[in-house]
Amino acid sequence: MATTTAHRPSTATRRLGYVFGTLAGVIGLFLINIWPGWERVSFLTSETSEVLWLVNVALLAGIVADLVYLVYDPPWLVALGGVVTTGIGLAALIRFAQVFPVDFSGWDFDGTGLARALLIIAMVGAAIGIVVQLVALVRSLAAGGESQ
């Protein structure tokens, strides 16, 4: 039975990814909260404010994680950060599904079913991502955790 060793991208490549992840989070926060703002999205209702705080926490958690990884990114920490950030993202998705601040009545089609299906797919994907990151965390810790 052949085994393969996981290959991590170079430090420079990983850092570039963390920079882009940070920028994406900052841009997301700006677009949602400042300009143009979530209120400008025609299908979002006023109930969006009930989930906005959790969406902001998810984006901030990703930004903080990426900034930490810029300085120190052993595999165990990246996996742990993935569990935490994906868990917060999953919580935001679940809360969004509970509140469901979406109204397609002004549209030519009712996208409610599609929106709910996409939310379910995203939640399943996040749950799978958490399991994958937990496995990576356990493997990394079992291997000594500090390999770069």
Side-chain angles (χ1 to χ4, degrees):
M1 174 181 212
T3 60
T4 59
T5 303
H7 171 72
R8 282 185 92 192
S10 70
T11 301
T13 300
R14 293 192 317 266
R15 287 192 175 139
L16 184 62
Y18 304 145
V19 168
F20 280 121
T22 300
L23 289 174
V26 169
I27 290 169
L29 283 172
F30 179 80
L31 292 174
I32 291 169
N33 295 287
I34 299 172
W35 184 84
W38 67 268
E39 300 93 344
R40 302 282 296 178
V41 179
S42 64
F43 59 84
L44 292 177
T45 67
S46 61
E47 286 82 23
T48 301
S49 60
E50 295 178 32
V51 290
L52 186 60
W53 70 274
L54 198 47
V55 172
N56 285 333
V57 169
L59 288 168
L60 285 170
I63 292 167
V64 168
D66 282 328
L67 290 174
V68 168
Y69 302 154
L70 277 170
V71 178
Y72 184 64
D73 75 337
W76 70 267
L77 183 62
V78 175
L80 178 61
V83 170
V84 171
T85 57
T86 307
I88 296 169
L90 178 58
L93 288 168
I94 290 169
R95 185 66 184 139
F96 194 93
Q98 290 170 338
V99 174
F100 201 69
V102 174
D103 179 11
F104 292 103
S105 62
W107 289 48
D108 290 337
F109 74 99
D110 183 6
T112 303
L114 177 61
R116 287 191 187 279
L118 290 174
L119 270 173
I120 291 168
I121 291 168
M123 287 186 277
V124 169
I128 291 169
I130 291 169
V131 171
V132 168
Q133 291 298 325
L134 283 170
V135 169
L137 176 61
V138 170
R139 284 185 175 174
S140 177
L141 291 174
E146 291 296 323
S147 71
Q148 292 284 332

